[in-house]
Amino acid sequence: MTESSANKPANGQVCHRVKNGVKPGRNGFIKNHHHYHHQQPMYCYPEDKDFVPLYQDFENFYTRNLYMRIRDSWNRPICSVPGAKVDLVERVSPDYNWTFDYTGKVVEGVINMGSYNYLGFAENTGYCADASAEVTMKYGVGVASTRQEMGNLDRHEEMEELVAKFLGVESAMAFGMGFATNSMNIPALTGKGCLILSDELNHASLVLGARLSGSTIRVFKHNNMQSLEKMLRDAIVHGQPRTHRPWKKILILVEGIYSMEGSIVRLPEVIALKKRYRAYLYLDEAHSIGALGPGGRGVVDYFGLDPRDVDVMMGTFTKSFGAAGGYIGGRKELLEYLRSHSHSAVYAASMSPPVVEQIIASMKCIMGEDGTTLGRDRVQQLAENTLYFRRRLTEMGFIIYGNSDSPVVPMMLYMPAKIGAFGREMLKRNIGVVVVGFPATPIIESRARFCISAAHTKDMLDTALSVISEVGDLLQVKYSRHERLPSLD
């Protein structure tokens, strides 16, 4: 037996060379407390001894001791349209979620309470699907070029004109990926010497875009106008660190609906502060466009505000429109600048023609330009479903977060151990839900997140609510101490 092989731990044993989490220098063992037989051994070869660990200690602890135990709650393949009901591919794990085997069976008719299909446009039949199929036959699926080269179709131009009209702004521009719409365009708008004031619960795409910009970033408390105003005042009084020169520009980053909290931004107050301190406002309407307001035009429509008061209106097509990609709307000068300076515009491939047509068709439907009231009816139905579902959950004794008009409904589980249990028990009863834990939320604020759709019927919602109540009693997650009033229905 060689020196190197003698020092390697046997399968299933804890590495005897690691004591108190300290790495012996000669052997090149990576600092780690325990190495179980499920994991690949964490030692490295002599030529790699100077490499640092890829993961921090706590991240490794979380992955090994929590995530792997409840991994079956995520990444589950579906084999149907993600509508009000969905078909799931059945899978089993012979080794405690390290690998999955597919049985070849399909779990049919699962009520879908997790997709962002707010207006029910994620469908394979009807006006939108027929329009997309027709365009596919004419243009194909891929464009194979960027917008600035040979990939600018007439359908792209029509879509952007329609988006601008829908938002009530001068101009709009579309991008093939919603995440990249934020992460690639914020760096084009701000840079060194600029200040970004970001809500503490902003989406990862906004956080990444702010970091890539090289701007100074300061975080204010979630939806707290006192915190935001204090930062604005301090920024103007003190200026940049050390030099105290004025900031080149101050950009406020907020979302319309916060996807993990279900809260709606206090937009009228944000706009008032922005005007008072002469800052710029960047509004991410990924979850609110189509889902809020009497006309489905988002949080600006919801509060009855002027779209021109928002400097940069951003949103995605992946949710209410049942398509893919994102957009930015605003003044014409802003959009002309982004067309030549945004990396996502210059280097990314053009949007797929059938996706573009899905956006055009669904947006015309919401605006009523298809000659029907189907779009307006769906917006109204979503609002009714949201109010009903939220009220019933509260009556049952659950703690839910967010605004009463938000179709994103987080229901608190708190304990990480109940994440997997809730997801599995719901699926046993043919209800598909999304459960959320660390690092998307604080580790002791685990939750289930329901997304309400206009495609959900009253019977579907009642079935889901009945099952949620049953599982809530089983897992003891009805934490609310408020007096429960009988339903008015």
Side-chain angles (χ1 to χ4, degrees):
M1 183 180 290
T2 64
E3 169 73 18
S4 59
S5 63
N7 287 328
K8 294 181 182 179
N11 203 17
Q13 294 181 350
V14 175
C15 170
H16 67 279
R17 298 286 297 178
V18 179
K19 186 176 181 181
N20 298 327
V22 178
K23 176 184 75 173
R26 186 170 64 86
N27 258 18
F29 281 81
I30 291 179
K31 178 181 176 183
N32 200 294
H33 293 288
H34 301 290
H35 309 316
Y36 294 101
H37 71 281
H38 291 306
Q39 284 187 297
Q40 188 156 353
M42 294 293 287
Y43 56 80
C44 56
Y45 296 102
E47 61 268 22
D48 297 333
K49 66 183 177 63
D50 294 326
F51 279 67
V52 297
L54 186 60
Y55 297 105
Q56 296 178 8
D57 285 345
F58 179 73
E59 290 173 335
N60 189 37
F61 168 85
Y62 174 80
T63 302
R64 182 176 66 246
N65 291 305
L66 184 56
Y67 172 71
M68 293 306 296
R69 297 185 183 192
I70 55 178
R71 188 178 168 210
D72 58 303
S73 300
W74 297 289
N75 309 320
R76 183 178 292 276
I78 68 172
C79 52
S80 70
V81 173
K85 289 189 176 182
V86 69
D87 297 338
L88 303 180
V89 178
E90 187 179 74
R91 63 181 183 176
V92 294
S93 177
D95 52 6
Y96 303 99
N97 293 337
W98 282 87
T99 61
F100 291 102
D101 294 333
Y102 298 100
T103 64
K105 298 179 182 178
V106 173
V107 183
E108 297 181 346
V110 177
I111 296 178
N112 181 7
M113 300 300 297
S115 294
Y116 304 134
N117 184 27
Y118 297 129
L119 294 180
F121 282 115
E123 52 195 358
N124 56 2
T125 59
Y127 172 67
C128 298
D130 293 343
S132 297
E134 185 179 336
V135 164
T136 302
M137 297 303 294
K138 179 178 180 181
Y139 290 89
V141 174
V143 182
S145 182
T146 67
R147 290 286 295 276
Q148 291 193 350
E149 294 168 352
M150 295 294 292
N152 191 27
L153 304 179
D154 56 345
R155 307 306 291 168
H156 290 128
E157 298 285 345
E158 180 182 342
M159 173 185 62
E160 290 178 342
E161 290 177 6
L162 188 65
V163 171
K165 181 181 177 182
F166 181 68
L167 298 175
V169 295
E170 293 180 8
S171 183
M173 183 179 180
F175 304 87
M177 180 181 177
F179 190 98
T181 305
N182 279 332
S183 59
M184 292 289 100
N185 284 295
I186 294 175
L189 297 173
T190 67
K192 191 174 181 181
C194 299
L195 174 65
I196 291 177
L197 300 180
S198 177
D199 190 290
E200 66 179 342
L201 296 182
N202 274 343
H203 190 262
S205 58
L206 290 168
V207 174
L208 178 61
R211 289 175 176 172
L212 291 175
S213 71
S215 305
T216 300
I217 305 169
R218 291 177 185 166
V219 179
F220 62 91
K221 294 178 181 178
H222 174 55
N223 244 353
N224 189 315
M225 297 303 106
Q226 289 76 23
S227 175
L228 175 58
E229 183 169 16
K230 184 179 185 302
M231 289 190 177
L232 282 166
R233 190 186 300 115
D234 290 347
I236 291 171
V237 170
H238 300 295
Q240 299 185 42
R242 294 192 304 276
T243 64
H244 299 293
R245 292 175 180 169
W247 295 99
K248 293 180 180 177
K249 69 180 79 164
I250 300 174
L251 182 65
I252 303 170
L253 296 184
V254 294
E255 293 186 45
I257 292 178
Y258 290 84
S259 59
M260 287 299 166
E261 305 299 312
S263 53
I264 297 176
V265 65
R266 296 164 64 178
L267 191 60
E269 296 166 76
V270 174
I271 289 177
L273 288 176
K274 167 220 140 175
K275 289 181 177 179
R276 184 184 305 166
Y277 294 98
R278 302 193 177 213
Y280 293 97
L281 176 59
Y282 187 110
L283 174 64
D284 178 344
E285 290 216 82
H287 287 269
S288 56
I289 193 68
L292 279 183
R297 287 174 165 83
V299 71
V300 176
D301 185 29
Y302 177 76
F303 286 110
L305 302 172
D306 188 344
R308 291 174 294 184
D309 288 336
V310 180
D311 301 288
V312 186
M313 296 185 71
M314 177 270 171
T316 62
F317 303 118
T318 55
K319 300 171 178 67
S320 294
F321 303 99
Y327 66 82
I328 282 183
R331 296 181 61 183
K332 190 173 182 179
E333 295 85 353
L334 168 70
L335 274 300
E336 290 301 321
Y337 173 83
L338 287 177
R339 289 183 201 280
S340 56
H341 287 81
S342 168
H343 281 64
S344 188
V346 177
Y347 299 109
S350 298
M351 293 178 71
S352 174
V355 172
V356 172
E357 195 62 28
Q358 167 74 18
I359 296 166
I360 293 173
S362 57
M363 194 168 287
K364 283 184 176 180
C365 192
I366 297 171
M367 297 169 71
E369 293 188 5
D370 63 337
T372 70
T373 61
L374 176 64
R376 183 61 64 91
D377 292 343
R378 291 192 182 195
V379 171
Q380 180 65 28
Q381 187 64 51
L382 174 63
E384 292 176 6
N385 287 353
T386 297
L387 288 170
Y388 175 71
F389 190 81
R390 279 181 166 274
R391 191 183 75 242
R392 288 290 309 278
L393 283 181
T394 304
E395 290 169 359
M396 289 175 185
F398 294 104
I399 293 178
I400 59 174
Y401 278 2
N403 188 286
S404 59
D405 292 319
S406 167
V408 179
V409 188
M411 191 189 86
M412 302 309 295
L413 304 175
Y414 292 110
M415 300 180 190
K418 293 188 178 182
I419 296 176
F422 187 83
R424 291 169 190 146
E425 291 297 329
M426 292 294 290
L427 189 57
K428 283 180 186 176
R429 294 158 175 81
N430 237 37
I431 309 292
V433 300
V434 170
V435 284
V436 189
F438 180 86
T441 67
I443 198 164
I444 57 169
E445 289 189 23
S446 303
R447 64 199 66 177
R449 184 185 65 180
F450 306 108
C451 291
I452 308 304
S453 171
H456 288 139
T457 64
K458 180 84 161 27
D459 288 341
M460 288 180 192
L461 293 179
D462 285 338
T463 302
L465 286 163
S466 175
V467 170
I468 292 167
S469 181
E470 180 186 342
V471 175
D473 289 330
L474 178 67
L475 301 182
Q476 298 181 352
V477 292
K478 295 183 177 180
Y479 300 115
S480 177
R481 295 181 180 177
H482 290 295
E483 182 182 355
R484 299 177 196 174
L485 300 175
S487 173
L488 298 177
D489 291 335

